[in-house]
Amino acid sequence: MKYVCALCGYVYKSSVGDPENGVEKGTDFEDISEDWVCPLCGASKEDFDVLEDGDDIDNDDEF
Ligand SMILES: [Zn+2]
């Protein structure tokens, strides 16, 4: 599952995570700490929307 920041378009991928901000790869968006914010614009998790895309062919395998 991927999530996109509604404000700046940053995409969070659970397969990548956000290691620079303490989110290890493999972390589901729902499991990210509530005080995590968008690394690009500082938006809160509430400002993220589920990104439904059919053209994502890279593997999102769980780590
Ligand atoms: Zn953002």
Side-chain angles (χ1 to χ4, degrees), residues 5-10 38-43 48:
C5 175
L7 300 188
C8 75
Y10 166 84
C38 174
L40 295 188
C41 73
F48 278 73

Side-chain angles (χ1 to χ4, degrees), residues 2-36:
K2 295 192 293 190
Y3 287 79
V4 59
C5 175
L7 300 188
C8 75
Y10 166 84
V11 175
Y12 176 83
K13 296 182 183 181
S14 61
S15 57
V16 177
D18 183 17
E20 293 182 5
N21 293 289
V23 181
E24 295 181 33
K25 61 184 178 183
T27 304
D28 287 337
F29 189 78
E30 298 297 332
D31 291 334
I32 301 174
S33 151
E34 289 300 322
D35 57 10
W36 179 83

